[in-house]
Amino acid sequence: MIAILRILIRRVALLVPLVLGIVLFVFLVMRFSDVDPASAFFQGANPTPEQLHRFREENGLLDPLPVRYVGFVGDLLHGDMGISALTRAPVVDQVTTALPLTVQLTFMGLGIAVVLALLGGVTAAIYRDRLPDQIIRVVSLTGVAAPGFWLALLMIQYLAVDLGWFPTSGYVNPADSFTGWLKTMTLPAFALSLPVAAQLTRIVRTSVVEELDKDYVRTAIGSGLPPRVVVGRNVLRNALINPLTVLGLRVGYLLGGAVVIETIFSLPGMGKLMIDAVKNGDPAVVQGVVLTTATGFVVVNLVIDILYLLVNPRLREAS
């Protein structure tokens, strides 16, 4: 436990320069973009050059870049992401409103992907080179090749429009109706998760096959232990190391894919918020969404690293 805590403190300490680097990158990209914050703030109002100059002066847009970056970081530490040029509301309020839905969608999709990958990958490994394995391999290859937005459109057409099992769009808060929330989130979560599940299934299958071929498995089964016990207690735990590594990278895909999926299903999450901000020329909102998403990706990968340590004792000893 002490070793895990020491490693955790070390990982968290490494997050600080990483997050500052992300903030610097986003800051520079937004500052060198073609979008002028002053013009965006006065969009549709035909401001005079004097008004634009006064706005830039009051908001520090005429200061040198290093001074602006320090001020930007200071504002972020105080929870200030700026003001939306479109709504004149604090960006942090819009982000905190949209973020819970994206978190729900991402982790629901992640959970579906993990369950499907474990079921498919372990089954394919146990029945390797037989009919179940061949079927699962064909399905997983198809899932890898199928883009999420195409799956989303197919699901809307057949499951929502033709069969009427799910709504085509919209969102219901779980506090208002859990059943309604489940119906509105099921199709987006599956559309988001299936490509990831297909990739993870192939990796789980390969890892489990490698473990099943090791001597300790044959020894355990030969000593009389039921195969399901050996697979559940030993094989699966050792085989999860490689899939966990890939899972951390796939979280980024889920967060990025949520932008498209939320737009298709009209879900008021971070993805739709960013798309609307880009279309309406609202740089402060775009900046806030990108920063929040990137930081969330880093934090989730920290959690994956911790899980990686828990399932691999040799790494704890090496650390």
Side-chain angles (χ1 to χ4, degrees):
M1 186 64 186
I2 296 177
I4 295 177
L5 185 60
R6 185 166 57 246
I7 295 169
L8 178 60
I9 293 173
R10 192 184 310 163
R11 292 281 200 278
V12 172
L14 290 174
L15 283 185
V16 176
L18 180 58
V19 171
L20 287 176
I22 292 172
V23 172
L24 176 61
F25 177 76
V26 174
F27 173 81
L28 291 176
V29 168
M30 296 303 299
R31 294 309 173 276
F32 287 106
S33 69
D34 294 333
V35 179
D36 178 19
S39 300
F41 188 82
F42 288 104
Q43 56 182 325
N46 295 321
T48 63
E50 291 77 14
Q51 288 177 310
L52 292 173
H53 181 78
R54 189 182 311 114
F55 178 87
R56 296 187 181 104
E57 191 174 48
E58 291 174 352
N59 290 272
L61 299 178
L62 302 178
D63 295 336
L65 275 179
V67 176
R68 292 166 63 185
Y69 175 68
V70 172
F72 179 62
V73 173
D75 290 339
L76 288 178
L77 291 176
H78 288 88
D80 183 5
M81 293 184 174
I83 301 297
S84 168
L86 184 65
T87 64
R88 301 296 193 268
V91 174
V92 67
D93 291 345
Q94 294 179 263
V95 169
T96 52
T97 300
L99 182 60
L101 189 147
T102 300
V103 171
Q104 293 168 26
L105 178 60
T106 300
F107 281 94
M108 191 173 178
L110 185 64
I112 293 171
V114 169
V115 171
L116 293 178
L118 288 177
L119 290 175
V122 173
T123 302
I126 293 175
Y127 294 96
R128 75 175 100 170
D129 299 328
R130 285 180 276 177
L131 184 60
D133 180 27
Q134 294 170 357
I135 293 174
I136 291 172
R137 289 164 71 177
V138 170
V139 172
S140 63
L141 280 173
T142 305
V144 170
F149 71 88
W150 181 73
L151 292 173
L153 295 175
L154 285 181
M155 290 179 180
I156 290 174
Q157 178 62 46
Y158 292 108
L159 299 179
V161 176
D162 293 347
L163 297 177
W165 291 351
F166 301 96
T168 57
S169 62
Y171 174 72
V172 176
N173 194 302
D176 298 330
S177 171
F178 180 78
T179 303
W181 171 82
L182 197 59
K183 286 184 177 181
T184 56
M185 295 294 288
T186 298
L187 290 188
F190 268 96
L192 185 63
S193 67
L194 289 180
V196 176
Q199 295 172 359
L200 286 177
T201 297
R202 295 169 57 82
I203 297 169
V204 170
R205 178 196 178 277
T206 302
S207 298
V208 173
V209 165
E210 290 176 355
E211 288 297 318
L212 289 174
D213 288 338
K214 292 184 177 178
D215 292 336
Y216 79 89
V217 176
R218 289 191 290 268
T219 302
I221 294 176
S223 65
L225 285 175
R228 65 177 181 275
V229 175
V230 177
V231 171
R233 289 184 180 177
N234 303 105
V235 172
L236 194 55
R237 178 171 180 174
N238 294 332
L240 283 179
I241 295 173
N242 290 333
L244 272 177
T245 306
V246 177
L247 185 62
L249 301 175
R250 292 297 90 193
V251 170
Y253 169 85
L254 291 171
L255 289 171
V259 174
V260 178
I261 298 300
E262 288 175 1
T263 303
I264 291 175
F265 287 94
S266 298
L267 297 175
M270 295 283 280
K272 191 172 185 302
L273 178 64
M274 185 168 70
I275 293 295
D276 292 342
V278 171
K279 289 193 299 185
N280 296 318
D282 200 341
V285 175
V286 174
Q287 181 175 263
V289 172
V290 172
L291 279 174
T292 305
T293 304
T295 304
F297 175 68
V298 170
V299 172
V300 171
N301 272 272
L302 172 64
V303 175
I304 296 295
D305 285 343
I306 296 171
L307 294 176
Y308 193 79
L309 291 170
L310 291 176
V311 300
N312 194 349
R314 286 174 295 182
L315 286 181
R316 294 199 301 268
E317 294 170 3
S319 300

